Amino acid sequence: YSILSRITNKTVAMVFSFVIAFTYEIFDHSLLAYTNLPYSAFLIIGYLYLLNYFTENSKTHLFMSALFIGLSGWVRSSDPFWIPPILLLIYESFKSKKYKSFVIFVSMILFFRVPWSIYVSEISKNYAITSSNNIGLLFSTSLTKYIDRLFLVIPYIWANVIKPQLSVYILFGLSLL
């Protein structure tokens, strides 16, 4: 609510906060001990902070977005939903010719994701990451793997996330105008 009320009026923010809170899928997942709910919460908060960064150009919102999106990898490290905000920021950086924000954003996300990936790898004895590999190699390997998976996930997102709630997304988009 707090983040939405900054970019829309309070009524619209309240309505969409309730829509998010009482969406069947979110409510259903809250009844089970899955990692989907905290992962979704971290990502939604991170995406909303990024939206605020785009509208208000506040470095604090950029840092908060990177923090929440980076920490979402601690809940579920195998999902590629941390990549779209990076792609959006790449687009915005090229459009505005300001690359410092992109470097800060990616650095912060990697600051949280890389140590966790190494830790999970060590714990699970899946030594895909060795000490001789550098962080750049880790990032490029992971990014390639995630981009490949992203194309498999897009039809699922359309059929199960966007299409069932399309009217809500359209109303939300119209409320921003």
Side-chain angles (χ1 to χ4, degrees), residues 47-108:
Y47 280 27
L48 289 173
Y49 270 117
L50 188 63
L51 178 63
N52 267 356
Y53 168 73
F54 287 141
T55 58
E56 297 177 15
N57 202 20
S58 167
K59 296 287 185 204
T60 304
H61 292 143
L62 182 68
F63 290 137
M64 293 301 291
S65 175
L67 173 72
F68 279 102
I69 292 171
L71 287 176
S72 71
W74 286 46
V75 179
R76 293 183 68 152
S77 58
S78 63
D79 292 337
F81 296 109
W82 59 279
I83 295 175
I86 292 175
L87 297 176
L88 284 172
L89 207 54
I90 288 173
Y91 172 76
E92 185 65 27
S93 296
F94 280 113
K95 192 170 92 173
S96 66
K97 305 284 191 236
K98 297 178 184 174
Y99 305 105
K100 185 178 177 184
S101 298
F102 170 71
V103 172
I104 292 169
F105 188 73
V106 172
S107 299
M108 281 193 65

Side-chain angles (χ1 to χ4, degrees), residues 9 29 36 55-56 64 112-113 166:
N9 64 44
H29 279 293
N36 298 2
T55 58
E56 297 177 15
M64 293 301 291
F112 292 106
R113 291 191 65 85
L166 189 57

Side-chain angles (χ1 to χ4, degrees), residues 11-36:
T11 305
V12 171
M14 182 73 71
V15 168
F16 282 100
S17 294
F18 279 118
V19 167
I20 289 171
F22 293 107
T23 300
Y24 173 76
E25 290 82 8
I26 299 290
F27 186 75
D28 190 40
H29 279 293
S30 71
L31 300 174
L32 303 169
Y34 289 140
T35 58
N36 298 2

